[in-house]
């Protein structure tokens, strides 16, 4: 019984429910007390929700229309572009980034070593190049993305914006906000865009 109660409190704490709720506040404290006090601050910062994620937790990923519009508008304002303004890069670099699933490990047992490359881990959720047969289905298939949609300026910008901050289009989506939290740089995102839309990319080959 005790373990069940603790598990429930931890689940509540992980949602980031507003501290004005005494039970939620207690749950948050129990949750955070499970981490070592000498954890680097940037590790612990990953437990803090921003306003979008707080609202998504509050409404269990199904906010009412007005709140949904509020989240999407605020997230659209976060999108930043490469200094040179070019939104499509090198598809070969994008192919590498899409396949890389490393990076982001915290903790004292197996943290990221210095210089570990972060990737998009795109195949965890999407079908992309035909030659890769191991892929997830949480997200829609992106195979033939450019072949079906073209590579107009509008499509390129849409793809860039979606990768940078998916919540700018669909509030509370499961897709990570790669650019917002600097997981990928704007330049890296342009490479993934190229992987999606370039006619020579294996994504668009039969």
């Amino acid at each position: 019984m005790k373990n069940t109660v603790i598990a429930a409190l931890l689940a509540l704490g992980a949602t980031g429910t507003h501290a004005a709720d005494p039970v939620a506040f207690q749950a948050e404290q129990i949750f955070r007390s499970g981490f070592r006090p000498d954890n680097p601050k940037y590790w612990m910062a990953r437990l803090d929700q921003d306003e979008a994620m707080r609202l998504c937790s509050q409404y269990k990923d199904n906010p009412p229309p007005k709140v949904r519009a509020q989240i999407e508008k605020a997230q659209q304002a976060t999108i930043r572009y490469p200094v040179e303004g070019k939104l499509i890069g090198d598809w070969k670099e994008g192919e590498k980034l899409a396949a890389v699933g490393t990076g982001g490990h915290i903790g004292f047992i197996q943290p990221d070593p210095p210089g570990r490359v972060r990737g998009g881990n795109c195949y965890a959720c999407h079908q992309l190049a035909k030659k890769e047969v191991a892929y997830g289905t949480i997200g829609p298939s992106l195979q033939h993305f450019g072949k079906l949609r073209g590579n107009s300026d509008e499509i390129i910008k849409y793809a860039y914006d979606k990768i940078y901050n998916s919540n700018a289009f669909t509030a509370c989506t499961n897709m990570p906000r790669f650019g917002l939290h600097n997981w990928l740089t704007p330049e890296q995102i342009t490479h993934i865009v190229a992987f999606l839309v370039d006619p020579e990319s294996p994504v668009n080959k039969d």
Side-chain angles (χ1 to χ4, degrees):
M1 178 66 178
K2 180 180 178 182
N3 289 341
T4 302
V5 172
I6 292 175
L9 287 172
L10 288 174
L12 280 171
T15 66
T17 308
H18 198 278
D21 182 341
V23 175
F25 179 77
Q26 182 183 10
E28 186 78 17
Q29 298 309 302
I30 293 173
F31 175 72
R32 289 178 178 273
S33 69
F35 293 87
R36 285 172 43 168
D38 57 338
N39 276 345
K41 289 183 179 179
Y42 72 92
W43 288 0
M44 299 305 293
R46 291 173 62 172
L47 300 177
D48 298 328
Q49 293 187 319
D50 60 20
E51 181 66 4
M53 292 298 97
R54 185 190 70 77
L55 289 170
C56 289
S57 294
Q58 179 181 340
Y59 292 103
K60 297 179 171 38
D61 291 340
N62 188 28
K66 286 187 178 179
V67 177
R68 182 177 297 278
Q70 171 189 334
I71 293 171
E72 291 171 359
K73 182 178 180 180
Q75 296 303 293
Q76 287 168 7
T78 70
I79 298 174
R80 299 291 179 265
Y81 299 100
V83 174
E84 70 278 6
K86 185 180 178 182
L87 300 186
I88 183 167
D90 182 344
W91 70 259
K92 292 181 181 179
E93 292 300 316
E95 182 178 30
K96 296 174 188 176
L97 289 165
V100 171
T102 58
H105 293 177
I106 63 173
F108 294 92
I109 297 175
Q110 195 178 19
D112 279 348
R116 169 162 285 175
V117 177
R118 290 179 173 181
N121 198 21
C122 304
Y123 285 102
C125 300
H126 300 284
Q127 181 183 21
L128 290 147
K130 187 177 181 179
K131 64 182 179 181
E132 177 56 73
V133 296
Y135 55 84
T137 56
I138 297 173
S141 173
L142 300 178
Q143 193 173 73
H144 295 159
F145 183 91
K147 194 172 184 179
L148 294 171
R149 297 168 180 81
N151 56 1
S152 66
D153 290 345
E154 291 78 10
I155 290 296
I156 291 170
K157 183 178 183 302
Y158 166 77
Y160 179 94
D161 290 357
K162 181 79 171 183
I163 297 167
Y164 191 101
N165 190 337
S166 57
N167 275 250
F169 296 88
T170 308
C172 306
T173 178
N174 288 328
M175 183 172 174
R177 298 174 291 173
F178 289 105
L180 177 65
H181 294 303
N182 301 312
W183 184 262
L184 297 175
T185 67
E187 288 72 23
Q188 287 175 315
I189 293 174
T190 68
H191 297 324
I192 296 178
V193 171
F195 185 50
L196 290 173
V197 305
D198 194 305
E200 297 304 314
S201 165
V203 168
N204 298 309
K205 297 293 186 180
D206 291 327

